[in-house]
């Protein structure tokens, strides 16, 4: 990708004290071209390097480019749809979505500049997709959903209403939240801190997925952290805490955990019915 050396050069100059007032027209063109490449899906903030969901790695130069688009721009008054706001970045123009069949309902679907929305994807209002995030083809971002900076959502993903997909910009070495193809997240789920959800998994509503919470994988009979293997049905449970014996906790103290097991056929049937509603 020809943009990589240009972004690297800007990054080194920024590290040496480059400011927005020092930018040349060519520098500004590089920053804009970088955002265009993110929006088209030509570049991504992370990539899968192997077969496992644990093999995702951050594209450090891409994350640097995202950071440069904050550090080398100034906050200014902007306007979109007749609404004024103050930010370092404009919102993304959406005319290009028509050719790919993507849909975004009015009055509250917000795509920040540098966000990718794949063909036939759907955004319901209100919802927000931040810079560097990639939303795959056919994915549903439901009402009151947030897709954080640099998060990577695969194809055919379903985000239930009021779901939060966390973002990450720094450090540049950290991989963002990953939700692979065919995943269904129930309403109210939270996926944060670079957690990775394996393909075709179904996660129950109000489940918190974060590297600090153990996943009890009953399929492989092991406890894992930081990821949910593919083809799992997962749901929140509470397990006994190490402070359970304390006198202040009558009846015991508990901490959150996630239980993962085989996907049952009726669970798959429910997700297929949801697919049919969007055809």
């Amino acid at each position: 990708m020809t943009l990589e050396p240009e972004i690297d050069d800007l990054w080194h100059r920024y590290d040496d004290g480059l400011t927005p007032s020092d930018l040349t027209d060519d520098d500004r063109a590089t920053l804009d071209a970088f955002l265009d490449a993110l929006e088209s899906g030509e570049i991504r903030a992370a990539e899968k390097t192997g077969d496992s969901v644990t093999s995702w790695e951050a594209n450090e130069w891409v994350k640097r480019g995202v950071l440069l688009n904050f550090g080398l721009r100034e906050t200014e008054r902007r306007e979109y749809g007749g609404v004024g706001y103050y930010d370092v970045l404009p919102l993304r123009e959406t005319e290009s979505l028509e050719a790919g069949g993507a849909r975004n309902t009015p009055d509250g679907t917000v795509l920040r500049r540098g966000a990718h929305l794949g063909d036939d994807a759907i955004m319901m209002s209100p919802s927000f997709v931040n810079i560097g995030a990639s939303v795959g083809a056919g994915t549903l971002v439901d009402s009151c959903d947030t897709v954080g900076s640099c998060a990577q959502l695969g194809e055919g993903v379903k985000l239930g209403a009021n779901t939060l997909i966390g973002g990450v910009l720094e450090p540049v070495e950290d991989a963002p939240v990953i939700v692979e193809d065919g995943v269904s997240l129930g309403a109210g789920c939270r996926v944060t801190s670079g957690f990775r959800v394996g393909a075709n998994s179904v996660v129950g509503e109000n489940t918190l997925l974060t590297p600090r919470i153990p996943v009890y994988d009953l399929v492989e009979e092991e406890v894992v952290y930081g990821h949910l293997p593919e083809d799992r049905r997962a749901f929140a449970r509470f397990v006994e805490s190490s402070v359970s014996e304390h006198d202040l906790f009558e009846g015991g103290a508990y901490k959150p955990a996630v239980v993962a097991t085989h996907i049952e056929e009726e669970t798959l049937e429910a997700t297929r019915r949801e697919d049919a509603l969007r055809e």
Side-chain angles (χ1 to χ4, degrees):
M1 180 69 193
T2 57
L3 279 173
E4 183 173 357
E6 297 172 16
I7 291 296
D8 284 344
D9 175 66
L10 268 179
W11 181 260
H12 292 307
R13 290 163 57 202
Y14 176 65
D15 206 35
D16 289 337
L18 183 71
T19 69
S21 61
D22 299 325
L23 291 184
T24 67
D25 289 342
D26 285 344
D27 293 335
R28 294 187 184 91
T30 294
L31 293 176
D32 287 337
F34 174 83
L35 295 178
D36 290 340
L38 281 174
E39 291 175 7
S40 68
E42 187 176 357
I43 60 175
R44 294 177 64 169
E47 61 183 10
K48 194 173 185 179
T49 60
D51 296 330
S52 170
V53 68
T54 62
S55 68
W56 284 85
E57 296 182 2
N59 278 329
E60 295 183 20
W61 78 269
V62 174
K63 291 185 69 179
R64 289 191 184 105
V66 172
L67 290 169
L68 287 171
N69 269 282
F70 287 103
L72 293 178
R73 296 181 188 270
E74 295 180 320
T75 299
E76 59 183 273
R77 188 186 188 282
R78 303 176 185 275
E79 187 170 309
Y80 193 94
V83 177
Y85 65 99
Y86 290 84
D87 199 357
V88 293
L89 285 171
L91 299 183
R92 177 182 164 176
E93 298 295 336
T94 56
E95 288 83 354
S96 62
L97 300 180
E98 180 181 6
R103 291 185 274 162
N104 64 315
T105 58
D107 296 331
T109 55
V110 179
L111 275 168
R112 208 174 190 189
R113 188 82 161 90
H116 171 71
L117 191 65
D119 293 350
D120 299 316
I122 300 172
M123 286 182 65
M124 301 298 294
S125 1
S127 59
F128 175 70
V129 179
N130 206 348
I131 182 175
S134 178
V135 177
T139 286
L140 170 65
V141 179
D142 210 339
S143 298
C144 301
D145 289 349
T146 296
V147 180
S149 54
C150 296
Q152 304 292 297
L153 307 185
E155 298 184 359
V157 171
K158 303 181 188 68
L159 302 185
N162 197 31
T163 290
L164 169 66
I165 305 297
V168 62
L169 289 178
E170 297 182 282
V172 293
E173 296 86 359
D174 275 10
V177 169
I178 304 295
V179 180
E180 292 191 330
D181 296 350
V183 168
S184 178
L185 297 177
C189 284
R190 302 289 186 269
V191 189
T192 68
S193 303
F195 194 93
R196 305 166 191 191
V197 184
N200 304 313
S201 291
V202 178
V203 181
E205 62 271 13
N206 297 315
T207 299
L208 174 60
L209 298 173
T210 185
R212 296 174 296 279
I213 291 179
V215 176
Y216 290 84
D217 184 6
L218 304 187
V219 177
E220 296 295 334
E221 297 187 350
E222 62 180 357
V223 180
V224 298
Y225 287 86
H227 73 278
L228 176 67
E230 64 181 26
D231 299 310
R232 297 292 193 270
R233 181 174 66 91
F235 48 90
R237 285 292 182 269
F238 287 88
V239 298
E240 190 172 357
S241 168
S242 61
V243 296
S244 288
E245 300 303 320
H246 199 283
D247 291 341
L248 289 177
F249 295 102
E250 184 178 352
Y254 296 87
K255 59 185 179 181
V258 174
V259 175
T261 185
H262 292 285
I263 297 181
E264 300 167 347
E265 184 59 31
E266 54 263 34
T267 302
L268 293 175
E269 284 297 329
T271 60
R272 292 180 191 126
R273 286 195 295 273
E274 290 184 18
D275 286 338
L277 291 174
R278 295 192 286 137
E279 290 180 353

